[in-house]
């Protein structure tokens, strides 16, 4: 089955997995298979005043809705575009006295759209909201209790003058949100800012080693302020060559975990048993649990002790990060690495997790040389584990490149930034803000480019790197290494050093949104 605008894919039914998506033509790495606007989407409760409720971009100054005083927008263009979806919500919030939670707001937006358009197939949709899987029958007691609370809260918020829906149908909508919603990120892709329903993408089945990735695109930044405003959307992009008839798959969870843990997570969150090749054959589990090889191979008991110590340390690190005691985080990381290094292999996930945290926090504390050392080891491990076109790998390599750049390791930093650019071209595409930041050639004079390249930036340090600037520094470094360091030292002395962005306690945005 295909539908207008979705000619490149078809829905099919497969035994054991239900519906799925199949390619109708050949795709190459980086191709956009299709793009889909949200059926309904909302900003997270904690970010409603700093994120545009239309395009989900983070902006310094936002226009507030004068009626409900709740919704915020980039400008009048975004506000006008939002009115169809916000009109009923605006009135309901005023009457209710306050805005309900994000889940209630999303359910309400879905039901207001059904009220307007009916429950059939919307334009360019392969399936209706009614046909989406809700898994309510698989809920445990705690989830059923949460569902009842959501339904009761929804009924308190839902206006009497709107179309009334039965309890079973409202429960279906919350079930759909629970297991089908996608996470929406800001324009840099580094922070989860909202949640939305995309019926076509809901049909893509999971594989731990997928042939597609999903990227949220907030639309064209410049066009937001013009008549050519580009609608925000989610894109399904090919990671490898896909032939006609191949199933299109995405990964619902981060691959950086052993197969048993991934399967547990998928069963708990999405109610199915993963039977992908990587889980069945436990591919790469040996790398993720690697121990030191050699004449003095550590005993099983020693390995068990070090892994438990790593788990305990990660809990302490999370607590210290929440408290903002970053020097304590560094101390804990160093202690843990000292125990891990004689025992765990270079690709062991517990070692890689500590290296990732250490490099990020040390960069924030401007201890760039030590941060670069850990970042290099982390990237070397990631490259052996992740799919070569994995989006999280691309972001990690980019951050490591910037850390090396700030440490004055220009050749290594430039090489990493170029590797990151090659990955992100496929996973994000050339028009995504992250990729454009890496490629941006509007760097001005050589002096300006040099100062930009040597000065840490407070806002978006990882994100606003310019690949051309690193090329300029690299040429300068290669032509006269002595003069390069003299100029760098002088530049740093004359420039106010700004801190790196504060480390986030959040994991990178995951593909599917799961209510906590």
């Amino acid at each position: 089955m295909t539908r207008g605008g979705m000619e490149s894919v078809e829905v099919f039914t497969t035994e054991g997995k239900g519906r799925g998506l199949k390619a109708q033509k050949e795709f190459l790495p980086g191709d956009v298979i299709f793009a889909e606007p949200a059926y309904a989407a909302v900003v997270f409760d904690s970010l409603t005043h700093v994120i545009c409720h239309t395009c989900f971009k983070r902006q310094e100054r936002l226009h507030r809705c004068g009626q409900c005083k709740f919704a915020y927008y980039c400008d009048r263009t975004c506000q006008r575009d939002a009115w169809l979806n916000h009109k009923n919500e605006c009135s309901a919030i005023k009457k209710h006295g306050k805005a309900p939670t994000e889940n209630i707001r999303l359910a309400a937006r879905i039901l207001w759209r059904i009220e307007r358009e009916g429950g059939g197939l919307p334009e360019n949709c392969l399936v209706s909201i009614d046909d989406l899987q809700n898994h309510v029958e698989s809920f445990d007691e705690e989830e059923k209790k949460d569902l009842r609370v959501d339904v009761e809260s929804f009924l308190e918020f839902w206006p009497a003058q709107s179309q009334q829906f039965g309890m079973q149908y409202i429960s279906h909508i919350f079930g759909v949100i629970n297991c089908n919603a996608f996470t929406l990120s800001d324009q840099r892709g580094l922070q989860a800012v909202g949640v939305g329903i995309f019926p076509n993408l809901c049909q893509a089945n999971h594989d731990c080693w997928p042939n597609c990735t999903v990227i949220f695109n907030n639309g064209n930044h410049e066009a937001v302020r013009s008549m050519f405003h580009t609608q925000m959307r989610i894109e399904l992009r090919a990671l490898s060559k896909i032939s006609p008839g191949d199933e299109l798959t995405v990964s619902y969870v981060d691959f950086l975990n052993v197969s048993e843990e991934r399967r547990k997570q998928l069963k708990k969150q999405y109610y199915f048993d993963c039977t992908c090749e990587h889980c069945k054959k436990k591919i790469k589990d040996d790398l993720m649990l690697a121990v030191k090889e050699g004449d003095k191979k550590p005993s099983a008991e020693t390995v068990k002790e070090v892994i438990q110590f790593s788990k305990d340390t990660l809990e302490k690190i999370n607590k210290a990060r929440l408290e903002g005691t970053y020097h304590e985080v560094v101390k804990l990381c160093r202690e843990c690495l000292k125990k891990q290094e004689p025992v765990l292999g270079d690709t062991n996930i517990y070692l890689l997790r500590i290296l990732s945290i250490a490099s990020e926090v040390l960069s924030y504390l401007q201890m760039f040389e030590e941060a670069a050392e850990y970042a290099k080891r982390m990237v070397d491990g990631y490259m052996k584990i992740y799919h070569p076109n994995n989006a999280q790998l691309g972001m990690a390599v980019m951050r490591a490149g910037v850390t090396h750049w700030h440490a004055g390791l220009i050749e290594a930093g430039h090489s990493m930034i170029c590797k990151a650019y090659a990955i992100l071209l496929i996973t994000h595409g050339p028009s995504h803000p992250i990729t454009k930041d890496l490629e941006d050639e509007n760097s001005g004079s050589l002096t300006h480019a040099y100062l930009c390249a040597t000065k840490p930036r407070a806002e978006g340090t990882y994100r606003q790197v310019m690949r051309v600037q690193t090329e300029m520094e690299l040429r300068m470094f290669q032509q006269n290494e002595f003069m390069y360091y003299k100029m760098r030292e002088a530049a740093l002395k004359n420039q106010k050093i700004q801190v790196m962005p504060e480390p986030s306690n959040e994991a990178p945005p995951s593909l599917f949104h799961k209510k906590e």
Side-chain angles (χ1 to χ4, degrees), residues 95-316:
K95 189 168 183 179
H96 190 59
K98 63 178 182 178
T101 64
E102 62 216 29
N103 257 30
I104 310 301
R105 288 186 284 117
L106 182 56
R109 283 195 167 209
I110 292 170
L111 289 170
W112 274 315
R113 182 161 178 178
I114 291 171
E115 182 183 52
R116 287 196 309 270
E117 302 175 2
L121 279 176
E123 185 181 0
N124 290 336
C125 273
L126 300 172
V127 294
S128 70
I129 293 294
D130 291 359
D131 291 330
L132 294 180
Q133 185 63 257
N134 61 50
H135 288 294
V136 170
E137 72 283 353
S138 302
F139 282 15
D140 60 27
E141 285 307 311
E142 191 63 30
E143 288 172 317
K144 287 176 182 174
K145 181 182 174 183
D146 290 342
L147 176 60
R148 287 193 293 271
V149 170
D150 276 344
V151 172
E152 287 169 8
S153 299
F154 172 84
L155 290 171
E156 289 175 10
F157 175 68
W158 189 248
Q161 69 271 21
S162 290
Q163 179 181 337
Q164 297 305 303
F165 296 91
M167 296 278 279
Q168 188 173 350
Y169 192 70
I170 296 169
S171 297
H172 165 73
I173 296 299
F174 280 110
V176 165
I177 292 170
N178 185 68
C179 58
N180 289 283
F182 283 83
T183 299
L184 308 181
S185 56
D186 63 5
Q187 60 266 45
R188 301 298 170 191
L190 295 178
Q191 184 185 14
V193 298
V195 55
I197 292 291
F198 298 80
N200 293 335
L201 279 162
C202 289
Q203 305 311 302
N205 284 319
H206 165 84
D207 194 296
C208 290
W209 200 257
N211 56 15
C212 299
T213 190
V214 174
I215 295 297
F216 183 60
N217 192 320
N218 304 73
N220 185 289
H221 183 69
E222 296 304 317
V224 167
R225 293 174 176 80
S226 77
M227 63 183 288
F228 303 108
H229 173 70
T230 304
Q231 190 176 29
M232 68 89 169
R233 62 204 179 273
I234 268 188
E235 298 171 346
L236 184 70
R237 306 182 67 91
L239 293 180
S240 54
K241 183 180 176 181
I242 296 171
S243 300
D246 286 353
E247 183 176 4
L248 304 170
T249 58
V250 296
S251 181
Y252 297 177
V253 296
D254 184 10
F255 183 69
L256 203 67
N257 222 329
V258 293
S259 53
E260 183 183 356
E261 290 302 316
R262 293 198 306 272
R263 293 184 80 180
K264 282 181 184 175
Q265 186 180 354
L266 290 163
K267 183 69 172 177
K268 182 181 178 183
Q269 294 188 358
Y270 306 108
Y271 313 102
F272 71 87
D273 296 305
C274 185
T275 57
C276 79
E277 198 75 1
H278 275 66
C279 280
K280 284 193 295 187
K281 295 182 177 178
K282 301 188 175 183
I283 299 172
K284 303 219 174 191
D285 279 11
D286 56 338
L287 286 175
M288 291 193 238
L289 296 176
V291 298
K292 284 286 184 187
E293 297 292 338
D295 297 335
K296 294 184 178 180
K297 188 175 179 179
S299 67
E301 188 59 35
T302 301
V303 173
K304 186 178 177 182
E305 286 175 9
V306 170
I307 287 178
Q308 188 56 53
F309 182 82
S310 302
K311 290 178 179 177
D312 294 342
T313 301
L314 284 165
E315 286 185 13
K316 293 175 184 176

Side-chain angles (χ1 to χ4, degrees), residues 353-401:
R353 285 167 188 165
I354 297 296
L355 290 172
S356 174
I357 294 166
S359 62
E360 180 189 8
V361 175
L362 284 163
S363 291
Y364 171 66
L365 296 174
Q366 296 190 34
M367 301 165 74
F368 293 117
E369 289 185 17
E370 188 180 358
E373 177 196 338
Y374 295 148
K376 172 69 165 61
R377 292 170 60 190
M378 175 193 72
V379 164
D380 287 346
Y382 281 2
M383 296 286 258
K384 293 174 185 175
I385 293 176
Y386 274 122
H387 187 290
N389 291 332
N390 182 282
Q392 286 175 303
L393 172 64
M395 299 294 286
V397 176
M398 181 173 72
R399 288 193 294 267

